[in-house]
Amino acid sequence: MHKRRRELAAGIAPTAYQRRRLILLLRLLDAEHEGASRRKLAFSILYPHHIAMRSAEWKASNERRRFYRMLEDAHMICDDGYRQLLKGSMNDKHIPH
C-alpha cells in the first residue's frame, strides 16, 4: 500500500509554473460554481489590475479569448484531466499554458 502511494506521489511533480496555472484554473472553477458572471470572473481572477472594459470592448478583446480558453482548460481538468495528473501522465500538452 505504501509503495503505491510513493509511486503515485512521485508521478505528481508539476513545475512551479504548472502549480500556479492549476491553482488559477481551480479558482476560476470555484468562482464559476458560485455564480459569478464571466466578465467578473475574468477581471477578478485573471486581470485584477485591469480596468473593466465596456461590453463591446470585452467582446472583441484578446483578454476575453484568453479567458474562455482558460475556462475550457479548467473544465477539461475538472472533467477528467485530474485523473491523468494524479497518475503522473500529464505533460505540458495536457497542462494548458
Side-chain angles (χ1 to χ4, degrees):
M1 177 79 169
H2 294 298
K3 181 180 178 187
R4 175 73 180 131
R5 282 190 205 158
R6 279 193 304 258
E7 289 172 3
L8 183 62
I12 304 172
T15 65
Y17 170 80
Q18 290 170 330
R19 281 192 304 273
R20 286 190 307 270
R21 178 89 173 158
L22 289 169
I23 289 167
L24 187 63
L25 295 176
L26 292 173
R27 287 182 62 209
L28 284 172
L29 286 172
D30 286 344
E32 182 185 47
H33 181 73
E34 291 175 7
S37 73
R38 298 290 169 95
R39 213 161 53 162
K40 184 171 181 158
L41 281 171
F43 285 101
S44 63
I45 296 173
L46 291 181
Y47 306 109
H49 303 294
H50 282 61
I51 297 171
M53 300 175 187
R54 294 188 319 236
S55 182
E57 291 174 315
W58 169 246
K59 287 180 181 178
S61 71
N62 290 330
E63 289 87 351
R64 180 177 183 261
R65 286 186 287 279
R66 178 176 178 247
F67 166 74
Y68 278 100
R69 281 192 308 269
M70 290 187 69
L71 192 58
E72 183 180 329
D73 294 343
H75 284 280
M76 184 276 302
I77 286 178
C78 182
D79 292 343
D80 198 38
Y82 71 93
R83 292 175 197 261
Q84 291 175 330
L85 180 66
L86 291 174
K87 288 179 184 175
S89 62
M90 256 191 162
N91 56 33
D92 284 337
K93 179 178 141 192
H94 295 100
I95 297 181
H97 296 39

